[in-house]
Amino acid sequence: MSTILAVAQHGETILTLAAAEVAKSELNSEWLNQLVEAMHDTMTERNGVGIAAPQVYVSKRVIIVASRPNLRYPDAPEMDTVVMVNPEILEKSEATVLGEEGCLSVPDERGQVARAETIKVRYLTLQGEQVETIYTGFPARIVQHEVDHLDGILFIQRI
Ligand code: K1U
Ligand code: ZN
């Protein structure tokens, strides 16, 4: 059974807050696994390529990144879905690229946003394993957009 959650919309306070870190005691927990499953179902139902917990009214530092080729980014890599707990962008390339973004919380608006082309990110898996990885291009854009949600920033503030 899939669980589709309501998505917070531009203007709602939850989207302006800095989300709280997930505590060690919450890793591997039933509630965190259920939250991520429901976020995944909601993202898929809305045809998104990413989602952040504050968008479903949970002010915690959890994001999902799910790059796939699309009309705007036909060359985007098809990634296995990545769940990131407490993600931190450790490094950003000086080089930036302009690219179109949309947002499940800002319906009917699209805009060109400059983002670092390459980033190094550190995060925890749902099991608490620490991962460091480098993303470039569209996946890097999605991570930056989703981490912005954790800091209370929407893409329209970057246009
Ligand atoms: O966080 C969100 O609101 C989801 C958002 C993620 C995102 C899209 C594009 C660039 C960065 C981050 C979406 O999935 S919007 C819908 C979408 O699939 C899409 C929109 C514009 C360009 C490419 C894809
Ligand atoms: Zn968004």
Side-chain angles (χ1 to χ4, degrees):
M1 198 195 71
S2 78
T3 306
I4 309 302
L5 302 171
V7 175
Q9 298 296 295
H10 177 37
E12 295 192 68
T13 304
I14 185 117
L15 295 174
T16 68
L17 306 176
E21 295 228 326
V22 173
K24 285 220 167 77
S25 59
E26 294 173 300
L27 296 167
N28 253 323
S29 66
E30 189 62 21
W31 96 263
L32 190 60
N33 289 341
Q34 281 177 5
L35 168 66
V36 165
E37 201 175 316
M39 285 171 61
H40 186 266
D41 291 346
T42 305
M43 175 189 76
T44 304
E45 207 254 346
R46 296 294 200 96
N47 238 344
V49 291
I51 194 165
Q55 291 183 280
V56 295
Y57 297 94
V58 177
S59 195
K60 292 274 182 174
R61 301 188 81 82
V62 181
I63 65 173
I64 299 178
V65 180
S67 167
R68 55 178 159 72
N70 56 77
L71 277 180
R72 298 288 165 209
Y73 299 90
D75 299 327
E78 179 103 45
M79 276 170 56
D80 284 343
T81 299
V82 183
V83 177
M84 299 185 183
V85 176
N86 296 341
E88 290 172 78
I89 298 176
L90 302 175
E91 290 171 26
K92 288 185 180 190
S93 63
E94 266 182 43
T96 59
V97 269
L98 265 183
E100 188 172 299
E101 296 194 11
C103 181
L104 304 181
S105 298
V106 190
D108 305 326
E109 274 198 56
R110 296 277 170 109
Q112 295 285 323
V113 182
R115 301 278 190 191
E117 187 170 26
T118 301
I119 59 169
K120 183 176 182 182
V121 60
R122 179 198 288 157
Y123 63 92
L124 299 176
T125 65
L126 283 171
Q127 291 73 37
E129 182 196 353
Q130 186 173 285
V131 177
E132 273 186 26
T133 185
I134 291 174
Y135 289 108
T136 196
F138 189 55
R141 175 174 298 281
I142 300 171
V143 173
Q144 290 171 84
H145 177 113
E146 302 308 336
V147 170
D148 268 356
H149 276 302
L150 303 183
D151 294 330
I153 298 166
L154 293 174
F155 82 95
I156 47 178
Q157 295 169 253
R158 296 204 180 271
I159 294 173

